[in-house]
Amino acid sequence: VTYTGDFANTNNIGPTTAQAAMAGGADVIFGCGGFTGSQAIKYASSSAASAVGLSRTGPAAYVIGVDADEWVSTFESGAVDGADKVITSALKKVDTAAAFLVDSLLDTTRRSFVAGTTTLGVAENGVDYAPCHGACAAATAVITAEADEAKICLSAGKIGVSKEATSCELACTGIRCTFGATYATPVTLSSISAPCAPTTPAVTRKITILVEGSVADNPFLKLGVDGANEACTAESNCCLRVYQLVTGFTTWGATCAVRDAADMSDMVIGFGFEWTASIRDVSTCHNSIEFGIIDVTAEDAGGGDNVAGVTFKEDEAGFLAGIIGGYVSVSKKLHVVAGVENPPVVKYANGFKFGVESVCPTCTVGVTYTGDFANTNNIGPTTAQAAMAGGADVIFGCGGFTGSQAIKYASSSAASAVGLSRTGPAAYVIGVDADEWVSTFESGAVDGADKVITSALKKVDTAAAFLVDSLLDTTRRSFVAGTTTLGVAENGVDYAPCHGACAAATAVITAEADEAKICLSAGKIGVSKEATSCELACTGIRCTFGATYATPVTLSSISAPCAPTTPAVTRKITILVEGSVADNPFLKLGVDGANEACTAESNCCLRVYQLVTGFTTWGATCAVRDAADMSDMVIGFGFEWTASIRDVSTCHNSIEFGIIDVTAEDAGGGDNVAGVTFKEDEAGFLAGIIGGYVSVSKKLHVVAGVENPPVVKYANGFKFGVESVCPTCTVGVTYTGDF
């Protein structure tokens, strides 16, 4: 599997990835990365000496499409060369999703609308595999019968595709539904605290914490362990054990560690996203044990009634850091050197921008998502170097080791730092998660420490103590499953002291940040809502952001508007899409599903808006707001609408909002928001069964786009499907990072 990190086929990365995979022997290519994946399978299946701008040697590969039936779309119903190699597509039935949302509105009592996320799989007719069309000589009826049998198993919940094959799955007769019950890679565990002995007197609660890496070397982990230690004491009849995974960290090894911890504990706590899959797996098998995970939602970690997640309002921490940075900057140019563009990092960056703009409206804030937390090829310092060359005099590093190295470089007084030459004055810098003046700059011992004006803090000690405290009621009634998000009000985020840089980050400036904390605690700054127009004002600081939107959008209606005088119409629905419905089979399928469900007979009228120019967060939010003003329900097609629906749904709580391919929680989680997602791993699994039988070389490859959850589920499901029918097959995956 190759995650290219790209959905747009930048630099022809899809075909290039497929070319490399085929050179390595792959004879089945699964493209699940938007335009990147589509171009990859056009290249791989072509019979020509060159295709999509890239030379070809060797035989064509069989290929598998994604989302819609790509034999119909990409290969134009057989008209494009290579169509005879399309053995199937892993289908997301967006028509089912759209019809589901529309149907939820058509009960005149409005009682059928169910807020929250509905995930559609095989059982719900939400995912499937496409016909073999012109490739049925390869994807024979015998093979598709195996896929059909797998659909029965999936519908019955007897294949744990999304659970990554834990050992507590049931068997389904006729297909290999019980994957490996043992774990492939053992882990070395190093206990750093005294174990909870079974004979410890009066101990009624045993807690095990699991971390990856050395606690002693990681202030973020150490802070969390300290918080747990403070809460779990002999006086509270509690004992604590901490395990470090110091070698061999894999999904299997981590799951083994969680399972072993569950066997000897009342609660198991995982620190960080590395434990998500493992806790999701094991919590389903050990439902008498309580599980906590920090920096991950409970829903992502399984969502069972024995799972609690603690997350943070990183946008509030970023906002406080942005206030300080905005005042300190002289050039009025600041830059964020970020890691992977995931929700916590994006919230840090967005909050920082809002904080800067709240005190310095003429400042500009650049953001670079490097796509990397490990500082590969010294990308952090290189990014900081470019930003400083452009005039930035404050650098906010929020990207793990990438961000830490960026701020070490930017703050250094030397002619070179971290392997990169320096010209011009040093910049002021801001750390992230923990107090980087203490960690990265070794409490002032490292050059550049005098330039660290603050760090945006995630108080993991508060999170750990919260989870421990939830267990210590002897009635066990205090444990609350689900996700708790900690912000300023809950002492979950903050900003760090200025230490040796207080001449720049003066007491007057930090007093402004302290006043902002009061506003945040009172809920009077809408940082997490991206500054919608329904915010309240808080005296003493600019807490009311712009009520108008910076970039207007051009809307092109492709259906007749719902006229106010339309007789007997009791439900008006507006669908919003980015791009042309006519040119996008995925969008067209969804609109068709909505049209079939929203009819005059059901007293329903439908309007569809295409955003054809000027798509920005502000513009999209403006479109959603305008749609809400004229509708009973607004439906956004795709992740592009997440932030906008999250913003507007809080201000229009009498309107119902739906979003397809996104969870309701990501889109705000209000009781007027419904999300429909898909079990892409099931669709991938079915495609994998077909691919696994068709492959002769026993080498298959997935050309994927951005490494986001749907794409990863497609790829993982495909691998499991291949391996279920061809244990000796190997499946490569390339995430191109591009759609």
Side-chain angles (χ1 to χ4, degrees), residues 365-637:
V365 181
V367 180
T368 302
Y369 292 101
T370 63
D372 183 68
F373 285 134
N375 198 40
T376 305
N377 298 322
N378 220 16
I379 193 168
T382 302
T383 303
Q385 183 185 53
M388 293 166 71
D393 62 351
V394 174
I395 302 293
F396 177 32
C398 63
F401 190 57
T402 298
S404 297
Q405 292 299 95
I407 63 175
K408 280 182 75 172
Y409 169 82
S411 63
S412 175
S413 63
S416 66
V418 290
L420 199 63
S421 63
R422 272 285 314 280
T423 57
Y428 287 104
V429 298
I430 296 171
V432 81
D433 285 343
D435 186 342
E436 292 209 53
W437 183 87
V438 175
S439 56
T440 302
F441 292 87
E442 299 177 16
S443 297
V446 173
D447 178 46
D450 60 326
K451 293 290 187 176
V452 183
I453 53 176
T454 191
S455 293
L457 301 180
K458 241 184 224 183
K459 303 190 75 174
V460 71
D461 53 334
T462 301
F466 170 83
L467 288 171
V468 172
D469 286 340
S470 75
L471 187 73
L472 296 185
D473 178 356
T474 55
T475 64
R476 295 174 68 93
R477 290 176 187 161
S478 62
F479 181 84
V480 179
T483 302
T484 300
T485 302
L486 306 180
V488 169
E490 299 82 14
N491 192 33
V493 300
D494 206 338
Y495 70 93
C498 49
H499 298 296
C502 297
T506 65
V508 173
I509 292 174
T510 55
E512 285 271 330
D514 289 337
E515 192 164 4
K517 286 170 63 175
I518 297 170
C519 293
L520 288 164
S521 295
K524 294 183 177 179
I525 304 180
V527 176
S528 64
K529 297 171 184 171
E530 297 197 350
T532 65
S533 58
C534 60
E535 297 307 317
L536 302 175
C538 181
T539 304
I541 194 168
R542 304 170 189 82
C543 299
T544 48
F545 298 101
T548 57
Y549 299 91
T551 306
V553 295
T554 302
L555 297 176
S556 172
S557 177
I558 63 166
S559 60
C562 294
T565 57
T566 304
V569 166
T570 56
R571 294 291 179 267
K572 299 182 177 71
I573 297 175
T574 299
I575 286 177
L576 296 171
V577 301
E578 180 194 5
S580 167
V581 171
D583 297 335
N584 188 320
F586 185 71
L587 298 180
K588 185 176 185 302
L589 185 64
V591 171
D592 288 346
N595 268 317
E596 289 177 10
C598 180
T599 64
E601 291 75 18
S602 58
N603 295 328
C604 176
C605 65
L606 182 71
R607 190 174 196 178
V608 181
Y609 270 143
Q610 299 177 147
L611 271 74
V612 291
T613 63
F615 191 92
T616 65
T617 299
W618 300 117
T621 302
C622 183
V624 174
R625 186 187 61 180
D626 292 346
D629 289 340
M630 63 181 182
S631 310
D632 298 290
M633 173 184 271
V634 178
I635 302 175
F637 273 33

